[in-house]
């Protein structure tokens, strides 16, 4: 299938926003751990916050592949911008793929498109950590209203989002894994900050802990159970879009390193600088990361387009693959940037040169913690006890 | 077969309700089974019935209820 005619224009827009806006403020966003408001405003102006919303509801109806390339583009200029953008899209994906049967939630998606509303994610919880498949908090329903309180360890851009998508148990007696997703709209909820966000990297995501209290109408509960949504949408979108933006961070690191090596080569034409060999090595690592990320994005997009495909996304084999792409990308991004730093040497280590790689490295270190790789490895270890086909 | 399945669920399913009296079509995940405990159930079923679940069967729905587990075992032991 040829790409839609708008595809390159949207990608061009992402690069333009990245170059002219995100990159300009990236240093300040990082230094002051502040929300990348300029670039998010620019993404709103391009209507990119409703990229995944179906065309008939006013959005772009974008697929996983194109969105992946846009996250990669943004990641090259400002990791925090790319991460905020990606996390928002993951929430929209859950609604677009699982909530269209509800007229209220359809109407909500229309407002995401017309008002470019930003949605934050509330999955992690004090007491369960990064285990997104279990919750302590539960919906308490009285007639057609509910109340919900959650002690959240981390809510990225919680103070800058209009709305929240929250995981919780279906009712107060439900098992910890019997979860639903609930949309909370501005006015439905209060957030009381419980911790700070003075971190090594990804500082502009502004992700402290919060105590959430809320109430709403039962129509805000996404129909169906979160277990299936997690396997078919939340996990694949999270892992692919995160990997895509980490790839973007790695691409920029390699670009800086390339220009460093070329400058060395120009200074002494005829002599291949020793660092060029290391650059060749890093370029090789980058290519494999790129191929791995594109391969799963492509597979997800294909699977999501048919009912058999969506069924296949519920199988253990698919989960293993999605987990592997996250683990690989998170480790490889750090490895690539570290190798790039080794090539640039002191000018890469300094924070004020055009070859600086400190921010890239600090941001990339969040990747293996953002749902701990060990947790994911443990899940894979368990699944491999029954999964046969390597 | 029914009893064997229910015994395995009782031992490995980490269910909140009694596996012996659970309805045939009751949702085991809602009853407390997690992805982790479902793997233990699969392993115990493979040992008990001397079968290997092919990868195409390793999905939520197949292990979602006593009835669906029984159907899967019957399919594998019929051959
Ligand atoms: C930049 C960033 C932004 C984030 N934004 C959000 C957000 O907006 N919303 C949100 O909900 N979450 C968000 N998170 C995720 C949230 O912070 C997770 O709770 C966090 O990554 C996990 O916390 P933890 O490392 O303390 O706890 P845990 O996941 O509990 O892990 C702690 C340690 O214990 C180990 N461990 C624990 N249990 C197991 C197990 N079963 N198997 C193997 N090892 C185990 C882990 O490997 C790790 O070493 C974000 C994370 C980052 C880095």
């Amino acid at each position: 299938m040829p790409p839609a005619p708008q595809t390159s224009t949207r990608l061009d827009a992402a690069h333009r926003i990245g170059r002219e806006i995100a990159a300009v403020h990236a240093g300040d966003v990082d230094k002051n751990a502040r929300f990348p408001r300029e670039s998010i405003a620019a993404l709103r102006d391009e209507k990119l916050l409703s990229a995944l919303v179906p065309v008939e509801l006013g959005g772009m109806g974008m697929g996983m592949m194109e969105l992946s390339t846009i996250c990669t583009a943004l990641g090259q200029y400002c990791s925090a911008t790319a991460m905020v953008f990606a996390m928002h899209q993951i929430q929209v994906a859950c609604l677009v793929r699982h909530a269209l049967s509800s007229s209220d939630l359809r109407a909500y998606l229309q407002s995401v498109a017309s008002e470019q509303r930003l949605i934050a994610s509330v999955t992690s919880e004090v007491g369960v950590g990064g285990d997104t498949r279990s919750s302590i908090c539960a919906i308490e329903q009285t007639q057609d209203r509910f109340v919900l309180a959650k002690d959240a360890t981390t809510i990225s851009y919680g103070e800058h989002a209009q709305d929240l998508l929250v995981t919780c148990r279906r009712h107060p007696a439900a098992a910890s894994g019997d979860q639903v997703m609930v949309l909370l709209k501005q006015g439905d909820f209060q957030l009381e900050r419980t911790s700070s966000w003075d971190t090594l990297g990804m500082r502009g995501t502004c992700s402290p802990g919060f105590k959430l209290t809320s109430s709403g109408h039962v129509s805000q509960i996404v129909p169906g159970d979160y277990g299936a949504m997690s396997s078919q949408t939340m996990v694949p979108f999270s892992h692919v879009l995160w990997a895509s933006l980490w790839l973007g961070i790695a691409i920029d690191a390699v670009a800086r390193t390339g220009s460093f090596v070329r400058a060395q080569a120009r200074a002494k034409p005829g002599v291949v600088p020793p660092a060029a060999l290391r650059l060749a090595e890093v370029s090789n690592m980058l290519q494999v990361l790129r191929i791995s990320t594109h391969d799963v994005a492509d597979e997800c997009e294909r699977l999501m387009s048919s009912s058999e495909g969506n069924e296949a996304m519920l199988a253990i084999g698919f989960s293993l693959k999605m987990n592997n792409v996250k683990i690989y990308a998170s480790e490889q991004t750090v490895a690539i940037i570290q190798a790039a730093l080794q090539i640039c040497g002191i000018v890469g280590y300094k924070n004020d040169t055009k070859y600086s790689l400190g921010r890239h490295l600090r941001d990339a270190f969040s990747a293996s913690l953002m749902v701990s790789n060990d947790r994911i490895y443990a899940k894979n270890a368990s699944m491999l006890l029954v999964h046969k086909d390597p | 077969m029914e009893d064997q399945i229910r015994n395995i669920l009782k031992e490995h399913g980490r269910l909140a309700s009694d596996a012996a009296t659970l309805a045939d079509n009751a949702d085991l995940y809602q009853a407390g089974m997690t992805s982790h405990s479902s793997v233990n159930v699969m392993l115990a079923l493979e040992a008990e019935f001397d079968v290997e679940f092919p990868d195409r069967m390793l999905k939520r729905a197949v292990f979602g209820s006593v009835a669906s587990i029984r159907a899967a075992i019957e399919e594998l032991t019929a051959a």
Side-chain angles (χ1 to χ4, degrees):
Chain A
M1 199 168 65
Q6 307 94 322
T7 302
S8 63
T9 8
R10 291 157 174 171
L11 183 58
D12 290 347
H15 274 292
R16 181 188 54 75
I17 291 169
R19 206 172 39 244
E20 295 174 6
I21 300 166
V24 174
H25 300 285
D28 184 58
V29 162
D30 174 58
K31 186 158 181 252
N32 294 306
R34 69 148 175 99
F35 184 66
R37 53 178 184 273
E38 301 86 351
S39 47
I40 299 301
L43 290 163
R44 279 198 163 105
D45 289 343
E46 289 289 338
K47 304 276 184 235
L48 278 162
L49 294 196
S50 49
L52 289 173
V53 174
V55 174
E56 62 272 23
L57 297 179
M60 292 176 175
M62 195 181 276
M64 173 87 106
M65 271 301 270
E66 187 182 354
L67 193 57
S68 156
T69 61
I70 289 181
C71 289
T72 302
L74 294 173
Q76 291 171 52
Y77 306 96
C78 170
S79 326
T81 298
M83 184 52 85
V84 171
F85 179 75
M87 289 183 67
H88 164 79
Q89 302 298 346
I90 296 158
Q91 314 316 306
V92 177
C94 289
L95 293 173
V96 165
R97 282 175 45 73
H98 302 279
L100 292 185
S101 62
S102 147
S103 54
D104 285 353
L105 294 172
R106 281 178 79 91
Y108 171 73
L109 281 169
Q110 266 170 328
S111 73
V112 169
S114 60
E115 300 163 25
Q116 293 293 295
R117 302 175 76 86
L118 183 66
I119 315 172
S121 162
V122 192
T123 54
S124 315
E125 182 174 13
V126 173
V128 296
D131 179 11
T132 57
R133 283 297 284 106
S134 63
S135 292
I136 295 170
C137 66
I139 289 273
E140 290 177 49
Q141 191 175 334
T142 327
Q143 277 128 23
D144 58 358
R145 303 283 303 172
F146 68 83
V147 292
L148 173 64
K150 184 164 184 170
D151 195 353
T153 56
T154 326
I155 308 180
S156 293
Y157 54 96
E159 282 160 340
H160 305 273
Q162 278 67 56
D163 310 315
L164 308 174
L165 206 55
V166 188
T167 51
C168 54
R169 287 183 300 131
R170 192 184 299 276
H171 53 80
S176 63
D178 184 12
Q179 296 162 291
V180 288
M181 273 197 128
V182 181
L183 171 71
L184 298 176
K185 291 185 277 189
Q186 203 162 39
D188 293 336
F189 63 87
Q190 294 81 42
L191 292 176
E192 183 199 328
R193 202 188 231 267
T194 52
S195 60
S196 58
W197 185 252
D198 181 4
T199 48
L200 183 65
M202 283 292 179
R203 296 168 58 81
T205 62
C206 301
S207 316
F210 293 96
K211 272 200 161 66
L212 163 76
T213 47
S214 68
S215 65
H217 189 268
V218 290
S219 61
Q220 291 165 240
I221 303 171
V222 180
D225 80 300
Y226 175 67
M229 284 172 224
S230 171
S231 306
Q232 291 177 313
T233 306
M234 180 72 110
V235 169
F237 268 92
S238 300
H239 291 188
V240 171
L241 298 188
W242 293 347
S244 305
L245 76 95
W246 298 332
L247 168 66
I249 305 175
I251 289 174
D252 190 55
V254 175
R256 288 179 186 215
T257 306
S259 68
F260 173 79
V261 174
R262 288 194 302 277
Q264 278 191 333
R266 279 187 218 116
K268 273 193 197 160
V271 185
V272 176
L277 200 66
R278 291 276 170 260
L279 177 63
E281 195 174 50
V282 164
S283 143
N284 176 283
M285 294 162 81
L286 184 67
Q287 178 172 326
V288 182
L289 177 60
R290 197 191 299 256
I291 290 169
S292 146
T293 309
H294 284 188
D295 179 65
V296 289
D298 184 50
E299 177 171 352
C300 286
E301 182 158 334
R302 270 189 297 108
L303 290 174
M304 285 186 291
S305 68
S306 73
S307 56
E308 307 87 76
N310 278 298
E311 187 60 29
M313 296 175 98
L314 292 170
I316 278 184
F318 180 75
S319 292
L320 279 166
K321 199 175 219 172
M322 286 302 113
N323 287 346
N324 279 331
V325 80
K326 189 274 175 182
I327 292 170
Y328 181 76
S330 60
E331 289 175 351
Q332 206 58 9
T333 301
V334 171
I336 289 171
I337 300 167
Q338 196 176 346
L341 177 61
Q342 195 65 38
I343 296 170
C344 292
I346 201 72
V347 294
Y349 196 66
K350 286 183 177 183
N351 284 327
D352 54 359
T353 77
K354 59 182 175 180
Y355 307 116
S356 299
L357 291 169
R359 174 159 49 84
H360 298 66
L361 197 54
R362 288 186 290 103
D363 289 341
F365 272 132
S366 70
S368 64
L369 309 179
M370 198 163 178
V371 182
S372 168
N373 278 6
D374 269 0
R375 237 184 222 289
I376 300 180
Y377 266 126
K379 286 194 169 159
N380 279 7
S382 163
M383 291 190 282
L384 283 166
L385 300 179
V386 288
H387 189 264
K388 281 100 196 163
D389 185 6
Chain B
M1 177 184 306
E2 175 96 23
D3 288 347
Q4 290 162 289
I5 295 174
R6 286 179 187 271
N7 278 337
I8 285 171
L9 284 170
K10 191 182 169 80
E11 198 170 341
H12 301 284
R14 293 177 160 272
L15 306 183
S17 31
D18 184 5
T21 57
L22 209 62
D24 238 21
N25 284 312
D27 184 323
L28 297 174
Y29 296 100
Q30 288 193 4
M33 192 166 71
T34 62
S35 359
H36 183 70
S37 56
S38 75
V39 166
N40 292 330
V41 168
M42 292 172 200
L43 286 168
L45 289 167
E46 290 191 331
E48 176 82 20
F49 295 101
D50 193 23
V51 291
E52 283 211 321
F53 293 110
D55 291 344
R56 68 177 165 81
M57 280 192 177
L58 299 178
K59 51 190 176 197
R60 283 175 71 78
V62 173
F63 297 90
S65 69
V66 172
S68 60
I69 292 176
R70 193 178 48 223
I73 305 272
E74 276 167 3
E75 185 186 327
L76 292 178
T77 49

